[in-house]
Amino acid sequence: RASMSRVVCTSRGHPLRDLEETYQVQRCFTGKDRVCDTTYKIDTTTKDDYQCCNVETPNCYMEEQVINDVTCTNTVEFNCQREKSTKNDGYGQKEVVCTRTPKQDCYNIPRKIQVEVCKTDVHRYCEKFSNVFPFPVEEQNCHFEPKKICELQQKTRPKKAKKYSYTKDCKEQPREICDQCEKKSIQPVCDMQERLQ
């Protein structure tokens, strides 16, 4: 056990003054705002213009061509054979039986003719002339409209809470510190011995 002292400190508060807080108040009033709309109208002016276009013209001429005239002849081929007669149980004279086969023979006869052939020629044609060109003209259409205008004003007011300043109050207090420790001590130790008589 050992004795010593320690210093114990506490804080003491002393009120100084009331605090103030700031707040904002919105104030609004009605004013007029000038609003303008942009409109456009079309006006025209006359300027020299240079334009070109493609002109198609036919170009025709006579050309010699060869065509074929087709000439056909129609003929009939006969194929005749003797066959046994069905009369008198087949003992009569043989009859001649013919079959007709139509035949057509065609052949080409070339012939020259004059044919008109036309092609299209394209030419570039340009001309300068006066032309009308439109252009936009800007106009402003203005009027007044009511407008709500608001602004914020900053104000202060006392606050209920108080602000304190603190000082340190210290006192010295005695205290004891206890712990376990080993200490040496002297004790007698005896042995029993026999005596001779």
Side-chain angles (χ1 to χ4, degrees), residues 77-138:
E77 290 185 352
F78 292 92
N79 184 12
C80 298
Q81 293 181 354
R82 288 183 176 273
E83 296 182 355
K84 291 182 179 181
S85 176
T86 57
K87 297 178 180 179
N88 298 325
D89 296 331
Y91 289 102
Q93 291 183 351
K94 292 183 177 180
E95 295 181 354
V96 177
V97 178
C98 297
T99 57
R100 295 163 53 97
T101 303
K103 184 180 179 182
Q104 186 181 58
D105 294 323
C106 298
Y107 53 93
N108 295 329
I109 300 176
R111 181 166 58 92
K112 293 182 180 181
I113 59 171
Q114 295 290 325
V115 178
E116 185 181 29
V117 178
C118 293
K119 296 181 180 179
T120 301
D121 294 336
V122 180
H123 300 281
R124 189 74 172 168
Y125 175 76
C126 298
E127 184 177 348
K128 181 181 178 182
F129 54 90
S130 296
N131 207 349
V132 176
F133 291 88
F135 63 94
V137 178
E138 182 178 312

Side-chain angles (χ1 to χ4, degrees), residues 9-178:
C9 298
T10 60
S11 296
R12 288 185 178 181
H14 305 281
L16 292 179
R17 59 181 177 84
D18 291 340
L19 296 178
E20 289 186 347
E21 65 175 351
T22 60
Y23 64 98
Q24 291 180 335
V25 177
Q26 180 175 280
R27 189 176 67 88
C28 298
F29 60 93
T30 302
K32 288 186 177 181
D33 193 12
R34 188 169 183 263
V35 179
C36 294
D37 299 326
T38 301
T39 60
Y40 294 91
K41 71 175 184 178
I42 302 299
D43 201 354
T44 58
T45 183
T46 302
K47 295 181 182 179
D48 289 337
D49 195 7
Y50 187 77
Q51 294 186 9
C52 297
C53 65
N54 293 328
V55 178
E56 296 181 355
T57 56
N59 181 14
C60 299
Y61 55 92
M62 300 303 293
E63 186 178 73
E64 188 178 82
Q65 293 184 359
V66 177
I67 62 172
N68 290 321
D69 292 333
V70 180
T71 302
C72 297
T73 57
N74 295 320
T75 57
V76 177
E77 290 185 352
F78 292 92
N79 184 12
C80 298
Q81 293 181 354
R82 288 183 176 273
E83 296 182 355
K84 291 182 179 181
S85 176
T86 57
K87 297 178 180 179
N88 298 325
D89 296 331
Y91 289 102
Q93 291 183 351
K94 292 183 177 180
E95 295 181 354
V96 177
V97 178
C98 297
T99 57
R100 295 163 53 97
T101 303
K103 184 180 179 182
Q104 186 181 58
D105 294 323
C106 298
Y107 53 93
N108 295 329
I109 300 176
R111 181 166 58 92
K112 293 182 180 181
I113 59 171
Q114 295 290 325
V115 178
E116 185 181 29
V117 178
C118 293
K119 296 181 180 179
T120 301
D121 294 336
V122 180
H123 300 281
R124 189 74 172 168
Y125 175 76
C126 298
E127 184 177 348
K128 181 181 178 182
F129 54 90
S130 296
N131 207 349
V132 176
F133 291 88
F135 63 94
V137 178
E138 182 178 312
E139 291 183 347
Q140 295 290 330
N141 183 15
C142 298
H143 61 280
F144 289 95
E145 287 187 357
K147 182 180 180 181
K148 187 178 181 181
I149 301 173
C150 296
E151 61 183 11
L152 294 176
Q153 291 182 347
Q154 187 168 336
K155 294 185 177 182
T156 59
R157 62 187 174 191
K159 195 176 182 181
K160 292 182 180 180
K162 294 183 179 180
K163 184 178 179 181
Y164 288 85
S165 66
Y166 294 91
T167 60
K168 186 184 293 185
D169 186 10
C170 299
K171 293 181 180 180
E172 186 174 339
Q173 292 180 351
R175 66 171 182 169
E176 291 183 351
I177 299 175
C178 297

